[in-house]
Amino acid sequence: MASVPSLASTVQQRLADGLSAALPDAASADPLLRRSDRADFQANGILALAKQLKGNPRELATKVVEAIPANDVLKEIEVSGPGFLNITVTDAAIIDTLAARAADARLGVPFNASAGTTVIDYAQPNVAKEMHVGHLRSAVIGAAMVEILEFTGETVVRRHHIGDWGTQFGMLIQFLIEHPHELDHSSGAEVSGEEAMSNLNRLYKASRALFDSDEEFKTRARARVVDLQAGDEETLALWQRFVDESKIYFYSVFDKLDMDIRDGDVVGESGYNDMLVETCRILEESGVAVRSEGALCVFFDDVKGPDGNPTPLIVQKSDGGFGYAATDLSAIRDRVRNLKATSLLYVVDARQSLHFKMVFETARRAGWLNDEVKAVQLAFGTVLGKDGKPFKTREGETVRLVDLLDEAIDRASTVVREKAQDLDEAEIAERGAQVGIGAVKYADLSTSAARDYKFDLDQMVSLNGDTSVYLQYAYARIQSILRKAGDAKPAAHRELDLAPSERALGLHLDGFGELIAETAAEYAPHKLAAYLYQLASHYTTFYSECPVLKADSPQQVENRLFLCDLTARTLHQGMALLGIRTPERL
């Protein structure tokens, strides 16, 4: 089905018609329409136009209003103040546009006409290392952007650039060669993520202790790095064991986060090894990178160190080793050339902003990024504890992500149990997980990514305020009403007068498509979270002011059920795009 034009765009069109009829010279002027608390919409564009035409804005505004042909959308246009237009639409127009949205599986949300291919780099844990709270944001924000962009028609390629290469593997592999049973599993049964991680943790600590205390082991470990980088078969096979063991653990955490991570999308640092030499050759031959004290560097006028000297991006070290820059630049080449990306989106900690600024600028100079292909870092802030300091355990350790998620599920299960009338234990456990994980995701996504946010579980699972639980309960409440409706079915009735809270809810529902387009274009999932919270708030007001099943007439019952149903579908769709479940009963 075709997308549904919003009332705002229809009103905009009517105003533009009036402008060009009244003022043929000003046909292309923007009416500057926005939602208003004085009326449904306000248009401020005539003020600027009057300045340009050296006319009286109130007179111009009146002229424009008189030139708008009669129609069934605009109920009243009032010229106010120095020349604003306050616009009220008809109740029938609100119900008509909502009925058109309800008739469409996509709720009338258009596809982006200029959709391309976006590669999203997110959820990047490190092999043989525990995931901590810092890994949470990349995973949650990235997964939401995947869903939002795909919903607008973008082709999305997911990439998980895991840390699976580097000097620490020499130490780990050498230790495994000398202690061959350290990664063995206790039984032939399926290995849990917890068991895999405790194996890796134990091995990491033991090998680190040996590396720090035994010079001969240190020498053997360093020689092993050379074997790994040279592609020695035995060494690579052992390296693969670490990767596989880590994946058992990663996937168990992503599973708990209710996230779909596919094996084919995991392309770690090692995936670009074969390209590193060529990347350096291209950069050096084209003059983008130059040798400085033996290292291959890219310099920037505006990037200087604390001493005031230029700080270069080092692509290859003087000893011939490659840094992160070589891998990141090779990944850009691969994503543009082989994956045909038109946008590269990196969901990475804001503390790496300077690195990515330099990498993107280098790729532009090399011609890999240009007007057709852009790269953007969706930089995110730090997760803080309740005290406003970076989140640590009492012992000063970083907090294990798994512990955090388990605690969120426990807290949420308590809330669900208190409210649940007709749920058995299995259902309480399932809803507890959906509410707990939803709470963690929503707390993250409802804050602008660039800002730090406080991890406060009490607040997150609260039924009051801007939380996912509030939204989930609004959805479950609507489902309960629809179940109780009996023979009455949702149906739109354009002939009815709407109460103020029905109009407010309807106008907000109608803005969903434009909001999705804005969220996708700006990579701003917090805007979708804010929209959904406002939707639930509008619904709560409507619910308290307008009886649904006890409305005055059968038509009004059907119309209010229709508003309930469309609200539920919009909440469900919006929450799904954020990666949050909406249980039918709570």
Side-chain angles (χ1 to χ4, degrees):
M1 187 176 147
S3 63
V4 177
S6 68
L7 278 170
S9 64
T10 307
V11 170
Q12 176 103 355
Q13 189 54 54
R14 296 281 191 279
L15 288 178
D17 295 346
L19 269 169
S20 52
L23 310 161
D25 311 346
S28 62
D30 184 348
L32 293 178
L33 190 73
R34 59 182 182 79
R35 288 294 307 277
S36 162
D37 45 12
R38 302 247 164 95
D40 296 334
F41 299 97
Q42 188 175 63
N44 307 339
I46 290 173
L47 293 174
L49 191 60
K51 212 175 237 174
Q52 197 185 316
L53 299 175
K54 304 197 166 37
N56 175 322
R58 272 193 76 98
E59 281 171 21
L60 271 183
T62 308
K63 226 179 186 174
V64 170
V65 172
E66 285 165 359
I68 295 173
N71 60 81
D72 58 357
V73 174
L74 303 178
K75 182 178 178 184
E76 187 186 359
I77 308 182
E78 174 207 14
V79 178
S80 118
F84 299 130
L85 297 180
N86 285 336
I87 299 152
T88 306
V89 296
T90 63
D91 289 356
I94 293 176
I95 294 298
D96 287 345
T97 186
L98 295 184
R101 290 193 181 286
D104 176 40
R106 290 176 51 81
L107 303 172
V109 177
F111 286 107
N112 177 5
S114 54
T117 298
T118 299
V119 176
I120 302 191
D121 189 326
Y122 69 108
Q124 312 102 341
N126 293 313
V127 165
K129 289 203 181 141
E130 188 112 46
M131 286 174 75
H132 55 78
V133 66
H135 290 117
L136 180 66
R137 298 205 74 184
S138 174
V140 169
I141 295 167
M145 282 318 309
V146 168
E147 297 299 331
I148 291 162
L149 289 171
E150 282 187 338
F151 189 61
T152 64
E154 188 79 5
T155 301
V156 176
V157 182
R158 309 147 180 236
R159 277 292 173 265
H160 309 292
H161 190 90
I162 64 171
D164 66 352
W165 203 246
T167 50
Q168 78 274 19
F169 284 99
M171 172 183 93
L172 293 167
I173 292 166
Q174 190 59 36
F175 189 85
L176 190 59
I177 287 173
E178 297 173 19
H179 305 80
H181 297 296
E182 282 299 304
L183 282 185
D184 293 356
H185 296 136
S186 51
S187 67
E190 202 176 323
V191 185
S192 70
E194 211 43 59
E195 185 189 338
M197 195 62 236
S198 73
N199 269 348
L200 289 164
N201 263 339
R202 193 180 59 247
L203 196 148
Y204 192 89
K205 282 179 179 149
S207 62
R208 182 89 239 178
L210 198 57
F211 187 86
D212 291 341
S213 63
D214 181 335
E215 283 305 316
E216 288 176 5
F217 176 74
K218 189 180 269 186
T219 306
R220 294 196 298 278
R222 288 196 167 137
R224 188 58 61 183
V225 176
V226 178
D227 295 339
L228 177 64
Q229 288 173 339
D232 169 65
E233 275 189 21
E234 183 204 11
T235 307
L236 275 176
L238 290 165
W239 166 80
Q240 189 64 49
R241 283 193 68 187
F242 282 99
V243 174
D244 292 343
E245 193 79 8
S246 297
K247 280 183 172 179
I248 295 172
Y249 162 70
F250 296 157
Y251 293 159
S252 74
V253 179
F254 289 127
D255 199 39
K256 190 164 280 194
L257 266 170
D258 196 13
M259 237 174 236
D260 172 27
I261 303 276
R262 305 171 198 154
D263 209 54
D265 301 330
V266 179
V267 183
E269 292 164 346
S270 64
Y272 305 100
N273 285 344
D274 297 347
M275 300 176 70
L276 301 177
V277 172
E278 194 188 3
T279 296
C280 291
R281 183 182 59 74
I282 294 169
L283 291 172
E284 190 166 11
E285 285 177 4
S286 62
V288 172
V290 293
R291 291 279 165 193
S292 171
E293 297 173 24
L296 185 61
C297 303
V298 183
F299 287 91
F300 307 87
D301 294 339
D302 59 343
V303 181
K304 296 187 169 60
D307 56 0
N309 293 329
T311 305
L313 182 72
I314 298 174
V315 186
Q316 189 177 21
K317 301 171 198 159
S318 53
D319 66 3
F322 300 101
Y324 289 126
T327 308
D328 287 335
L329 288 162
S330 299
I332 289 177
R333 278 179 58 215
D334 173 60
R335 289 164 184 187
V336 173
R337 194 179 63 192
N338 299 329
L339 301 177
K340 306 286 185 259
T342 48
S343 301
L344 303 176
L345 183 62
Y346 290 78
V347 188
V348 183
D349 191 317
R351 287 172 289 200
Q352 294 190 46
S353 294
L354 180 60
H355 169 77
F356 279 103
K357 180 184 167 190
M358 292 160 83
V359 165
F360 295 162
E361 176 56 31
T362 301
R364 264 190 286 278
R365 292 179 190 177
W368 304 327
L369 298 176
N370 49 44
D371 294 343
E372 274 73 61
V373 185
K374 63 171 183 173
V376 178
Q377 182 192 0
L378 204 182
F380 55 83
T382 309
V383 182
L384 307 174
K386 281 188 190 181
D387 57 1
K389 298 195 175 97
F391 204 17
K392 297 267 193 277
T393 63
R394 288 208 179 101
E395 296 72 48
E397 304 275 316
T398 46
V399 179
R400 293 174 65 215
L401 184 50
V402 172
D403 294 343
L404 211 64
L405 300 179
D406 286 342
E407 193 182 341
I409 292 168
D410 281 351
R411 295 277 184 94
S413 300
T414 307
V415 172
V416 172
R417 182 174 279 107
E418 280 166 12
K419 294 278 285 190
Q421 282 108 32
D422 50 357
L423 300 181
D424 60 31
E425 279 305 308
E427 287 172 317
I428 288 173
E430 183 199 20
R431 304 294 197 282
Q434 293 177 344
V435 171
I437 296 302
V440 170
K441 289 181 179 178
Y442 186 83
D444 193 321
L445 295 167
S446 57
T447 309
S448 159
R451 288 176 45 204
D452 299 343
Y453 85 98
K454 281 187 186 169
F455 198 96
D456 179 349
L457 276 175
D458 293 326
Q459 173 53 39
M460 286 180 191
V461 299
S462 162
L463 296 170
N464 305 316
D466 187 2
T467 64
S468 65
V469 196
Y470 176 67
L471 303 181
Q472 286 168 321
Y473 267 104
Y475 178 81
R477 173 188 283 165
I478 297 173
Q479 295 309 322
S480 167
I481 293 171
L482 294 172
R483 284 194 296 272
K484 286 179 191 154
D487 295 337
K489 293 281 173 279
H493 286 276
R494 67 192 307 272
E495 73 282 1
L496 294 175
D497 291 338
L498 297 178
S501 59
E502 290 178 292
R503 301 186 89 246
L505 177 61
L507 286 165
H508 192 70
L509 282 167
D510 186 49
F512 187 55
E514 283 163 356
L515 181 279
I516 292 289
E518 190 182 320
T519 298
E522 296 175 22
Y523 303 132
H526 70 279
K527 293 199 164 178
L528 174 55
Y531 171 90
L532 294 171
Y533 174 59
Q534 289 160 347
L535 177 59
S537 303
H538 279 303
Y539 181 78
T540 303
T541 307
F542 156 78
Y543 179 78
S544 65
E545 292 178 4
C546 299
V548 177
L549 300 178
K550 295 186 175 157
D552 295 340
S553 67
Q555 291 79 9
Q556 197 172 47
V557 171
E558 290 175 350
N559 201 55
R560 286 179 178 171
L561 283 171
F562 163 74
L563 287 173
C564 288
D565 187 49
L566 188 57
T567 300
R569 285 175 58 196
T570 307
L571 278 172
H572 174 77
Q573 179 63 70
M575 296 282 268
L577 295 179
L578 296 179
I580 299 173
R581 303 266 174 188
T582 38
E584 301 288 309
R585 295 170 191 267
L586 265 180

